[in-house]
Amino acid sequence: MELALYAPGLGYYSAGSTKIGSGGDFVTAPEISDLFSRCVASQCAQVLSVTGGEILELGAGTGRMALAVLESLAAAGVLPDRYSILEVSADLAERQRARLSSLPPSLRERVAWLERLPERPIRGVVLANEVLDALPCQRFVVEAAGASTSGGLAGHEPAAHELAALGSAIHELGVSLQGDSFIERAAIPDTALTSALESLLRELPQPLPPGYMSEVCLRLEPWIASVGECLERGLILLFDYGLPRSHYYHPQRVNGTLRCHFKQLAHDNPYINVGVQDITAWVDFTRVAEAGVAAGLDVAGFCTQAAFLLATGIETLVAGAVGVVEQARLAGEARRLLMPGEMGEAFKAIALTRDYDAALSGFTLQDLRHSL
Ligand SMILES: C[S@@+](CC[C@H](N)C(=O)[O-])C[C@H]1O[C@@H](n2cnc3c(N)ncnc32)[C@H](O)[C@@H]1O
């Protein structure tokens, strides 16, 4: 997953495909409607009016959210001192530059692209929409005690020494080559994965059945830790599809959540279109919250995307549209963002804060923190 997404010049996010938007592989909330970004801007305005300072957006895609957030904040008269973007994809950074060049100079001059996270901690807001799901994860499979590891794994017969080492009932699902094709094969989990899987199994309210496949993202902790280090005071606001841990690892979710996106088609084969399709996994929000706490942050809110958008005034924005045609268009976009069968429930918003006790309007309608 790491190589398929990030190998220099070859990985999905390193090479030049269109990726996001109707001509690309998938569509995100800011691409569906600026209503999403205008609601995010409303949350940013509230925090910035308390903390002052700036906004840092991680993984800004086509730059559409950055544009709409800056325009909304300008209209509200609560501009950040700076709007920085950290983007790993060179071609997406290029698209962001082109899009944001349409801003008036007074706004454009606040935008900066960073090569790495800021060395001096900032005050204000850190934003990331659909970035956590792109962090490479590791897959595992539960085997019945004593079962051969070759059983459910395409075409692999582990060597004797591997079988001995694989004595435990959970194996990492690795990748190997057979001829010209990638195949899955059992691998020996390293120490970090073994200890993560052991504590996961200890915590789950029910055992996982034999054959159960899922994934763990060990990149979350260091990612949240390094982003947390950048924040002196304010809010880290993250959106993504995902679940609290006990739902994520529900015994009935037997094939995990790893998905691929290629030309608007979602499927579950990461071994084709390598480097030209997106590979993602749902986010274990309990792991995000734990990582936040370990980084000294407060978990100040957790709710569905629908609850966040309703609490930040999406209905008022639709109602305020001029003319019935525009209102109908916005109502259609809002439905896609809000409906449980679309993005409303699968997507969640989480607020991690540092030294911030004031209100967070986006999290006033629903509080799902007890589920984490
Ligand atoms: C699924 S896209 C979402 C883009 C945008 N936020 C949106 O909602 O349209 C993931 C974005 O995160 C970027 N990205 C992936 N891994 C990242 C990382 N480790 N740090 C920062 N950005 C990353 C990608 O290049 C891309 O811009």
Side-chain angles (χ1 to χ4, degrees), residues 282-317:
W282 283 38
V283 174
D284 169 1
F285 275 102
T286 304
R287 194 170 286 280
V288 176
E290 286 169 351
V293 171
L297 300 160
D298 296 315
V299 182
F302 177 54
C303 65
T304 62
Q305 174 173 297
F308 177 90
L309 295 177
L310 289 168
T312 42
I314 192 168
E315 289 168 309
T316 314
L317 292 175

Side-chain angles (χ1 to χ4, degrees), residues 23-368:
D25 302 306
F26 56 88
V27 179
T28 58
E31 298 293 328
I32 287 174
S33 176
D34 286 340
L35 290 169
F36 178 84
S37 309
R38 291 166 71 191
C39 289
V40 170
S42 150
Q43 181 62 92
C44 291
Q46 187 185 34
V47 175
L48 288 172
S49 62
V50 175
T51 63
E54 51 193 282
I55 294 178
L56 164 63
E57 185 179 353
L58 307 168
T62 67
R64 185 159 169 181
M65 182 160 92
L67 184 82
V69 165
L70 273 167
E71 285 175 345
S72 296
L73 289 175
V78 196
L79 275 171
D81 299 338
R82 216 157 77 120
Y83 193 111
S84 309
I85 294 177
L86 178 62
E87 174 56 66
V88 293
S89 162
D91 62 291
L92 285 177
E94 216 34 65
R95 282 167 76 181
Q96 292 156 16
R97 282 196 172 84
R99 175 160 266 158
L100 293 165
S101 66
S102 68
L103 282 168
S106 61
L107 296 183
R108 172 64 189 82
E109 67 195 12
R110 290 170 200 258
V111 184
W113 280 264
L114 307 179
E115 293 295 317
R116 60 190 68 84
L117 286 168
E119 271 159 30
R120 276 210 348 238
I122 63 161
R123 279 175 298 114
V125 184
V126 181
L127 293 175
N129 185 59
E130 284 203 46
V131 177
L132 297 177
D133 67 87
L135 299 178
C137 60
Q138 285 163 280
R139 299 176 85 192
F140 65 86
V141 58
V142 178
E143 295 271 335
S148 159
T149 52
S150 62
L153 304 170
H156 171 64
E157 207 59 59
H161 72 278
E162 286 179 298
L163 273 175
L166 285 168
S168 94
I170 295 205
H171 306 141
E172 182 172 7
L173 205 46
V175 184
S176 187
L177 262 183
Q178 191 171 61
D180 285 344
S181 307
F182 291 114
I183 55 161
E184 286 172 356
R185 57 166 286 177
I188 302 164
D190 64 14
T191 323
L193 182 59
T194 303
S195 110
L197 291 173
E198 280 171 2
S199 63
L200 175 66
L201 290 193
R202 262 197 312 276
E203 246 182 76
L204 291 179
Q206 65 281 310
L208 300 177
Y212 187 92
M213 277 190 291
S214 193
E215 55 284 316
V216 180
C217 182
L218 298 185
R219 293 297 183 83
L220 272 177
E221 282 92 341
W223 194 87
I224 300 273
S226 53
V227 174
E229 267 178 34
C230 300
L231 187 71
E232 176 190 311
R233 181 166 190 222
L235 166 69
I236 299 173
L237 180 56
L238 309 171
F239 297 88
D240 227 308
Y241 34 89
L243 293 163
R245 183 168 295 154
S246 58
H247 297 253
Y248 192 112
Y249 297 105
H250 192 280
Q252 282 170 2
R253 202 181 300 284
V254 292
N255 290 318
T257 69
L258 193 92
R259 300 292 279 163
C260 305
H261 298 270
F262 185 60
K263 297 191 189 304
Q264 306 296 331
L265 193 83
H267 67 88
D268 58 9
N269 187 351
Y271 306 113
I272 57 171
N273 307 321
V274 177
V276 291
Q277 70 179 6
D278 193 20
I279 308 176
T280 81
W282 283 38
V283 174
D284 169 1
F285 275 102
T286 304
R287 194 170 286 280
V288 176
E290 286 169 351
V293 171
L297 300 160
D298 296 315
V299 182
F302 177 54
C303 65
T304 62
Q305 174 173 297
F308 177 90
L309 295 177
L310 289 168
T312 42
I314 192 168
E315 289 168 309
T316 314
L317 292 175
V318 174
V322 180
V324 280
V325 175
E326 179 65 358
Q327 214 170 73
R329 184 180 70 79
L330 290 188
E333 293 177 359
R335 264 197 300 281
R336 282 187 74 185
L337 297 174
L338 293 173
M339 292 299 280
E342 300 256 2
M343 299 182 107
E345 254 178 31
F347 283 73
K348 309 287 189 304
I350 192 165
L352 304 173
T353 55
R354 192 187 298 288
D355 192 18
Y356 182 88
D357 295 328
L360 286 175
S361 55
F363 296 88
T364 47
L365 269 188
Q366 186 186 49
D367 186 354
L368 296 180

